Amino acid sequence: MPIRFRPALSLAALALGWSLAAPVGAQSTQSQQAQARKQLNALHQQMQHLTEAQLATRSQQQAVTATLARQAQAVAVAAKAVRQSDQAISAKQQELDQLLQQRSDLKSQLDQQRKAIGDLLRAAYSLGQGSDLRLLLGDDDLGRIARALMYSHYFQQDRQRRIATLMAQLAQLQQLEAQIRDQQQALQQTRQQRSRQQQQLAQQRAAQQKLLDQTNARYQTQAQKLAALKEDEASLNQMLARLQRALDEAAKAAARESRQNPSAPTSRGNIRGNLPWPALGPVRRHGNGVLIAAAQGSEIHAVARGRVVFIGFLRGYGTLIILNHGDGWTSGYGNTETQLYKVGDQVEAGQAIATASAATNDDNSGVYFELRHRLTPVDPQAWLSTHR
């Protein structure tokens, strides 16, 4: 909890007070004047110490916030790497499954081709029990000879075609086997990489929790915690006020553009009480919104279609994402671990926009969610669906 000081009187006013309190004229003595100067110097030093302490406290507070922000960014980078590896593993596993299915289908086709070639060989043997030359030398029935030669020719062509197909399929099978080996090796390497990334993420999360514990240890009383919460809310309100002014200017520009290029209006429908929940977990009130004790790494979803207009670390809210939904409506998602979109991106209702930080026993842990209209907070639970 930052140390607060009452506004100090100006040095000139205090000096005037001391000069009036001291004897004047011939009645003043050197001893009294020296005492007044000593007291004035002591007051000057006291004021200097107070100013330095106040600046040091503010600097320390800013340093702590900056350290927390850097650690949150380190966790976000590590968590995003793990998430990308998970996606890569899923994609590689799917490709491997497809290759294995292709190999299974190809082996089945090879078995069919082998069987067909065997049938042809047995049929050719049954037809003449020998060669075409034996037919020519041992039979006077020209019609039978012609038919036998024609059948033999067809059998030879079919056999050659099937053998060629068989050879091509065998070559394809060899290629598939090589692809399967390569894919299995790539999958194993990605899993090993993911394991190393998971260890790095665990280290970064532990370092982050240590910083949070050290920060929370400064608040020894409930009054200090409440005062810190009020300060955090004030910082959030100031940031949102600046953001809303920028959004209003952008909306005015868009309105001018739409007047020049009119388009059909869109209907939002009745969304009050029907918005999807941004995350799953126990819910409790917190400040102007709610805290959702979502599982660490679980997805956080946009409650409505909107555009990402802010991503940044804010003391008391962690890494905060703000979505602009138009008509003065914004939604905020705090204590995010990984951010899946960047400022300017359009997202749809229900789309995953981030993952959740770990919920702890801290007063401000869990996914923070709030809704505002023209900077005025509204009860989010009145707008979110009763079915989760």
Side-chain angles (χ1 to χ4, degrees):
M1 176 66 190
I3 301 174
R4 295 186 175 275
F5 301 97
R6 295 179 179 177
L9 296 175
S10 68
L11 184 61
L14 289 169
L16 178 60
W18 282 112
S19 64
L20 290 176
V24 295
Q27 297 178 354
S28 63
T29 65
Q30 292 183 351
S31 174
Q32 290 171 326
Q33 290 176 356
Q35 182 66 22
R37 284 194 296 270
K38 182 178 180 181
Q39 291 175 335
L40 184 59
N41 288 335
L43 178 62
H44 176 78
Q45 291 178 358
Q46 182 181 6
M47 290 179 59
Q48 183 69 24
H49 291 328
L50 287 174
T51 302
E52 291 175 354
Q54 192 173 23
L55 291 175
T57 300
R58 186 179 305 155
S59 176
Q60 182 183 15
Q61 179 180 352
Q62 293 173 348
V64 169
T65 301
T67 302
L68 287 171
R70 287 193 297 270
Q71 189 57 46
Q73 179 62 25
V75 171
V77 171
K80 190 171 186 178
V82 171
R83 183 180 177 87
Q84 289 174 341
S85 292
D86 286 339
Q87 293 173 343
I89 289 173
S90 178
K92 290 181 184 298
Q93 184 63 58
Q94 186 175 1
E95 292 176 6
L96 178 59
D97 292 341
Q98 291 176 352
L99 289 173
L100 293 173
Q101 184 60 47
Q102 291 178 20
R103 183 178 68 177
S104 177
D105 295 342
L106 187 56
K107 284 185 174 181
S108 177
Q109 294 175 14
L110 284 170
D111 290 340
Q112 294 176 4
Q113 289 292 351
R114 290 190 182 98
K115 182 177 182 301
I117 291 174
D119 292 341
L120 283 175
L121 291 175
R122 284 189 292 273
Y125 180 80
S126 299
L127 177 66
Q129 291 189 355
S131 65
D132 297 339
L133 181 62
R134 184 175 179 180
L135 289 172
L136 292 173
L137 296 177
D139 200 329
D140 294 333
D141 189 345
L142 295 179
R144 183 175 180 276
I145 293 175
R147 288 192 301 273
L149 289 175
M150 183 61 67
Y151 291 150
S152 178
H153 177 69
Y154 287 152
F155 278 128
Q156 291 290 344
Q157 283 186 332
D158 195 15
R159 183 173 61 185
Q160 291 175 357
R161 179 180 61 80
R162 289 185 178 275
I163 290 175
T165 301
L166 180 63
M167 296 300 295
Q169 289 176 336
L170 286 171
Q172 185 181 358
L173 179 60
Q174 288 181 333
Q175 184 179 4
L176 274 176
E177 294 286 2
Q179 290 177 349
I180 288 172
R181 287 193 300 271
D182 292 343
Q183 193 67 17
Q184 288 173 333
Q185 292 176 357
L187 184 59
Q188 180 63 22
Q189 291 174 356
T190 305
R191 284 174 173 160
Q192 292 173 351
Q193 180 185 24
R194 198 262 185 197
S195 178
R196 293 190 297 269
Q197 291 170 340
Q198 185 65 41
Q199 293 176 358
Q200 178 67 19
L201 175 58
Q203 294 173 359
Q204 295 294 352
R205 283 173 172 170
Q208 183 183 42
Q209 188 58 51
K210 183 178 180 180
L211 279 174
L212 290 173
D213 291 341
Q214 292 173 349
T215 303
N216 292 332
R218 296 182 304 159
Y219 310 130
Q220 299 178 356
T221 66
Q222 189 64 28
Q224 290 177 330
K225 293 180 181 179
L226 291 175
L229 176 61
K230 292 297 182 183
E231 287 186 0
D232 295 342
E233 288 182 358
S235 298
L236 177 60
N237 290 334
Q238 292 173 3
M239 185 275 293
L240 288 175
R242 294 193 299 270
L243 181 61
Q244 189 60 53
R245 286 195 295 270
L247 293 176
D248 290 342
E249 289 298 324
K252 291 177 182 177
R256 290 192 295 269
E257 181 68 20
S258 64
R259 284 195 295 268
Q260 297 174 0
N261 303 285
S263 58
T266 58
S267 174
R268 296 182 181 273
N270 182 19
I271 60 174
R272 186 181 179 93
N274 293 315
L275 293 178
W277 280 80
L280 297 178
V283 179
R284 60 187 176 89
R285 295 289 305 180
H286 182 78
N288 293 318
V290 294
L291 283 173
I292 306 171
Q296 185 176 42
S298 60
E299 292 183 342
I300 301 172
H301 303 271
V303 298
R305 188 174 190 267
R307 189 174 299 277
V308 181
V309 292
F310 177 84
I311 298 177
F313 184 87
L314 202 62
R315 192 187 65 185
Y317 300 92
T319 302
L320 181 68
I321 300 176
I322 303 293
L323 298 184
N324 176 35
H325 305 287
D327 294 339
W329 285 96
T330 59
S331 60
Y333 311 78
N335 294 329
T336 66
E337 184 172 78
T338 306
Q339 301 75 48
L340 306 181
Y341 292 91
K342 60 183 182 298
V343 172
D345 288 345
Q346 183 81 34
V347 296
E348 300 299 325
Q351 195 166 5
I353 60 173
T355 61
S357 295
T360 64
N361 294 326
D362 299 338
D363 291 339
N364 63 340
S365 73
V367 175
Y368 176 76
F369 176 73
E370 70 168 33
L371 278 175
R372 296 197 182 211
H373 185 247
R374 299 292 180 191
L375 295 179
T376 302
V378 299
D379 181 8
Q381 292 176 296
W383 288 80
L384 296 170
S385 173
T386 56
H387 304 288
R388 303 185 62 188

